[in-house]
Amino acid sequence: MNINYDVIIVADVIRLEEKRLLEEAQNAGLRVLLLNLSSKGFRIGEERLAPYALIRSISMYRSLYSASFLEASGYRAINSSLSILLAGDKALSLPLFFKSGIPIPPTYLALSPETAIGYMTSRRKPLIDKPPIGSWGRLVSIIDSDITAKIVVEHREEIPSPQMKAHLIQDYVQINGEDIRCFVVRGDVVACMKRKAPPGEWRTNVAIGAQTEPFTPTDTVTEISVKAVETIKADYGSVDIGVDKITGEHYLFEVNGVPEFKGLEKTTKANIAKAIIDVVKR
């Protein structure tokens, strides 16, 4: 077997995160190869180029399929295909979090438009409706009336994807436009920040303009973050947590298995890229 590299980085769009990972791998003296999925495919069982593969596609399915094929060829994928699948599909991860004792918002799964509308019109509002798959807050809707419920469901029915026709309907958590994002690597919380929704917006995604500030994690935030990443058996991941301003209860919203981190590095000055590369060095 002709292994010429210590790690390959698999990506399709070379963002700042991938450049930072490449930089830190080189700083660590690792032999690293960047593979672009736009021009490179994989054959099951092909000869390995390295022991490790960092999976960094912006597409959940490209990441999942790449990790699966590379694992079949003997690579240690970071994160693994199983972790990427669980993190990427909330209908799979939320039940696991619940079974692990991690607090999540009360969640109802509706697999038909009639069931979704029937549930939402019978419940106290506001509610949150989201598809199982998605990022950057896309297609996450706040349901504040029966009319809104019907409009959202009808719109989602027109999207030609079975995942988009599934509805995860959650009780609204009164976070007042603020939540916490933490980054966990191998059981350690390496960085946390608070995110504040921009004016006129209730979502806290940085991609839509949320403001950020460093946050020192409490014991509760640390426990939820570490346990969530461990539950999906990931080497690393970003964790989103909301604190109900009325009850003080903490709720896990989601875990990302191929997370961006440039905003978190900029806000906290933590070297997240190095922490990820250190997984390869261990």
Side-chain angles (χ1 to χ4, degrees):
M1 184 176 296
N2 187 22
I3 294 181
N4 297 316
Y5 300 94
D6 297 304
V7 59
I8 61 173
I9 299 175
V10 180
D12 43 15
V13 177
I14 312 305
R15 303 164 293 181
L16 179 59
E17 285 86 353
E18 286 67 53
K19 293 176 182 177
R20 288 281 297 116
L21 289 167
L22 182 61
E23 176 187 28
E24 290 299 334
Q26 292 170 338
N27 288 344
L30 298 178
R31 298 167 299 167
V32 57
L33 176 67
L34 182 62
L35 292 182
N36 194 320
L37 293 174
S38 299
S39 57
K40 168 66 177 173
F42 305 108
R43 184 179 68 252
I44 290 180
E46 68 183 11
E47 187 174 8
R48 282 191 302 163
L49 300 175
Y52 295 92
L54 284 177
I55 310 299
R56 294 294 309 173
S57 171
I58 63 171
S59 160
M60 177 257 193
Y61 282 108
R62 283 187 178 184
S63 290
L64 174 62
Y65 298 156
S66 298
S68 179
F69 265 61
L70 290 169
E71 286 166 345
S73 296
Y75 286 86
R76 164 85 154 79
I78 303 172
N79 280 313
S80 70
S81 57
L82 174 62
S83 297
I84 293 170
L85 174 63
L86 294 176
D89 192 327
K90 299 176 187 67
L92 300 178
S93 59
L94 285 171
L96 291 179
F97 297 144
F98 178 80
K99 288 167 62 177
S100 296
I102 301 172
I104 61 171
T107 305
Y108 183 85
L109 172 65
L111 296 174
S112 72
E114 295 81 11
T115 303
I117 292 173
Y119 181 79
M120 287 191 278
T121 55
S122 69
R123 298 287 293 180
R124 182 178 179 180
K125 299 171 186 62
L127 299 165
I128 299 296
D129 180 31
K130 62 181 70 172
I133 293 172
S135 57
W136 301 322
R138 292 174 298 192
L139 295 177
V140 178
S141 303
I142 187 165
I143 307 299
D144 54 9
S145 69
D146 291 351
I147 293 176
T148 303
K150 294 175 182 177
I151 291 173
V152 168
V153 172
E154 289 173 0
H155 171 69
R156 292 261 295 278
E157 280 297 303
E158 296 302 314
I159 301 175
S161 164
Q163 288 86 3
M164 294 302 106
K165 293 177 172 58
H167 297 260
L168 293 172
I169 306 166
Q170 297 181 319
D171 289 1
Y172 181 75
V173 179
Q174 297 283 352
I175 62 172
N176 293 351
E178 295 183 357
D179 72 358
I180 300 162
R181 167 159 289 193
C182 292
F183 206 98
V184 177
V185 182
R186 282 286 182 90
D188 293 325
V189 177
V190 298
C192 283
M193 66 182 178
K194 182 177 289 187
R195 304 186 299 184
K196 298 182 179 181
E201 180 60 74
W202 59 275
R203 294 170 296 177
T204 57
N205 303 81
V206 174
I208 58 175
Q211 299 298 307
T212 63
E213 61 185 53
F215 177 80
T216 301
T218 62
D219 290 344
T220 300
V221 168
T222 297
E223 180 182 359
I224 291 174
S225 299
V226 171
K227 192 171 184 179
V229 174
E230 289 178 345
T231 296
I232 63 168
K233 304 183 185 305
D235 287 289
Y236 74 96
S238 65
V239 181
D240 295 341
I241 297 170
V243 181
D244 192 300
K245 300 301 183 182
I246 298 174
T247 66
E249 295 293 326
H250 291 64
Y251 294 96
L252 171 65
F253 290 153
E254 66 176 281
V255 177
N256 192 321
V258 189
E260 296 175 282
F261 55 83
K262 63 179 181 291
L264 194 50
E265 279 198 333
K266 181 178 180 181
T267 298
T268 65
K269 310 306 180 187
N271 194 335
I272 295 172
K274 181 179 183 301
I276 296 172
I277 292 299
D278 283 346
V279 174
V280 176
K281 292 173 58 182
R282 292 180 184 178

